[in-house]
Amino acid sequence: MLGLSALVVAAAIHSATATIRFGCSQLVTQRFDPLVTPGIVSPHVHQIVGGNAFNITMDPNEDYSKTATCTTCRFKEDKSNYWTAVLYFKHQNGSYIRVPQIPNDQVGSTSGGHTVYYIAGYPPFQKVTAFPKGFRMIVGDPMIRTKAAPQRNSVESYAISFRCWDNPRGNTNNAPPGGGQDTAALPNKFCAGGIRSNIIFPTCWDGKTLDPPDHTSHMAYLQGTVDPGMGIIWQQGNCPSTHPVKTPTVIYEIVWDTAQFRDLWPKDGSQPLVMSQGDPTGYGQHGDYVFGWEGDSLQRAMDNCKDQFGTPEACRELTVISDAEMNRCVQQPQVQERVEGVYLPALPGCNPVQNGPNPATMPANCPGAQPTATATSNPTTTVVQPQPTAPTTTVVQPQPTAPAGPAVPKYGQCGGNGWTGSTTCISGSSCVKLNDWYSQCQ
């Protein structure tokens, strides 16, 4: 949440901005990512919040607002699902433990989870179009390990960042997410008040595509110049002609309780935090979204809820539920592995720490990377058929996105979203698609 002084300044500059802001408790933490790896166990751990219809496939034809029986989010009408990678602390002995998530400011006593915003944007009270049933999107690239500094003429460059909080927070809480002293990389020092992740989704839609294969190209960020002090929550600008429909701005804020590691923090100045995909930089932070609001409830909220601070109780269009009701809505993990609560010898999945600056690669032949997923007794959880423990990737020849170029050596990258290099492997190797982001010569 913004610090009080930042809110006062923001209110003075951007008066009458419609916002809803609410906490969501943890639904489940496990290696599921039904957008990037539907039907199989994900390469790395995610924390999921929202409706309890969440499952390993998330059929786009299913109306999750009707099949979910509860939600971990503050509004009863919101059965959407929101998920991100998680953060681990690497002990000096080489073991890992998940960094707990704690409630954000003024969201109640949520059990883990994170905060979600929907903002109608600026100018005040402009008309926005709520997402339709079946809409999904992702933001961020888990494989990148470097990123250019934010550019004022690039709204997107301010969209994913971290805030290092002091204790007390003081000036470290006096700017909106993505503005002020936020960094694109994980903070390079101990943060006594915790670290807040900020993930801001694009807000311009092509008006027709619910979920393209890359889960991103149907959305775009506003055009315009960014005020670095204010970030892009109230960004002024126009949608590009290719994506003319203005939607609510969706934001995630995740608060990581790094304070408890004070006595274990390295004395040599090294950075001990690593994201669940083996990313010690933080540049690979990413978020996924599946729409699941009941009927026209989100559209009504965007049209009629004019509280600029986003207080849930101020939005009379929606039904507020209690902390206890949110915290009772849980799923049992379906992947047979331990991912939190104890020190682990390695990150779950096959995720060696890769510092970059080159993009991360997926190691081949990693034992235990694809455990069995089983059903639980939770009647709202979709039954998951066990996946084979043998390699589950399929050898494919990806469509080249650039001239074939020189042959790629074994274990080198040969494809993936945005890949512009060679797609031809050396003799004896084939290009294996490991996920939408990365293909490797094996």
Side-chain angles (χ1 to χ4, degrees), residues 26-28 52 70 72 326-332 378 380:
Q26 201 76 49
L27 178 70
V28 64
N52 69 338
C70 67
T72 73
M326 294 163 59
N327 293 338
R328 282 196 301 267
C329 186
V330 295
Q331 282 185 344
Q332 294 303 311
N378 187 334
T380 66

Side-chain angles (χ1 to χ4, degrees), residues 183-400:
T183 58
L186 280 163
N188 59 4
K189 63 179 182 179
F190 174 71
C191 300
I195 295 173
R196 188 185 70 197
S197 298
N198 315 298
I199 299 175
I200 305 176
F201 286 80
T203 191
C204 299
W205 179 39
D206 68 10
K208 54 187 178 181
T209 311
L210 298 178
D211 184 25
D214 63 3
H215 313 293
T216 61
S217 57
H218 59 328
M219 296 296 291
Y221 286 92
L222 288 169
Q223 299 172 324
T225 302
V226 178
D227 178 346
M230 291 302 297
I232 61 174
I233 287 185
W234 291 289
Q235 174 67 25
Q236 298 186 58
N238 298 315
C239 284
S241 59
T242 54
H243 296 74
V245 180
K246 181 69 169 62
T247 64
T249 301
V250 177
I251 302 175
Y252 299 170
E253 289 182 340
I254 307 101
V255 181
W256 307 101
D257 185 15
T258 55
Q260 63 179 267
F261 299 102
R262 177 188 296 273
D263 295 337
L264 297 174
W265 209 262
K267 301 300 189 292
D268 62 2
S270 59
Q271 201 286 102
L273 302 175
V274 57
M275 304 202 77
S276 52
Q277 72 270 28
D279 176 16
T281 69
Y283 293 126
Q285 184 177 200
H286 54 288
D288 298 59
Y289 173 82
V290 171
F291 175 82
W293 285 81
E294 295 179 2
D296 65 346
S297 56
L298 179 58
Q299 187 67 63
R300 296 198 320 270
M302 291 292 94
D303 290 344
N304 300 305
C305 296
K306 304 301 185 182
D307 178 54
Q308 63 196 31
F309 298 102
T311 306
E313 289 77 11
C315 185
R316 301 299 180 88
E317 296 289 334
L318 303 174
T319 307
V320 174
I321 63 176
S322 67
D323 291 340
E325 190 172 353
M326 294 163 59
N327 293 338
R328 282 196 301 267
C329 186
V330 295
Q331 282 185 344
Q332 294 303 311
Q334 295 178 258
V335 182
Q336 298 176 355
E337 64 183 349
R338 191 73 180 266
V339 300
E340 58 186 341
V342 297
Y343 278 94
L344 306 169
L347 294 175
C350 194
N351 293 287
V353 176
Q354 299 182 66
N355 292 278
N358 293 328
T361 60
M362 297 288 291
N365 304 319
C366 184
Q370 190 68 289
T372 301
T374 59
T376 71
S377 59
N378 187 334
T380 66
T381 302
T382 302
V383 175
V384 179
Q385 298 299 325
Q387 298 294 320
T389 56
T392 58
T393 53
T394 302
V395 177
V396 296
Q397 295 299 329
Q399 295 298 316

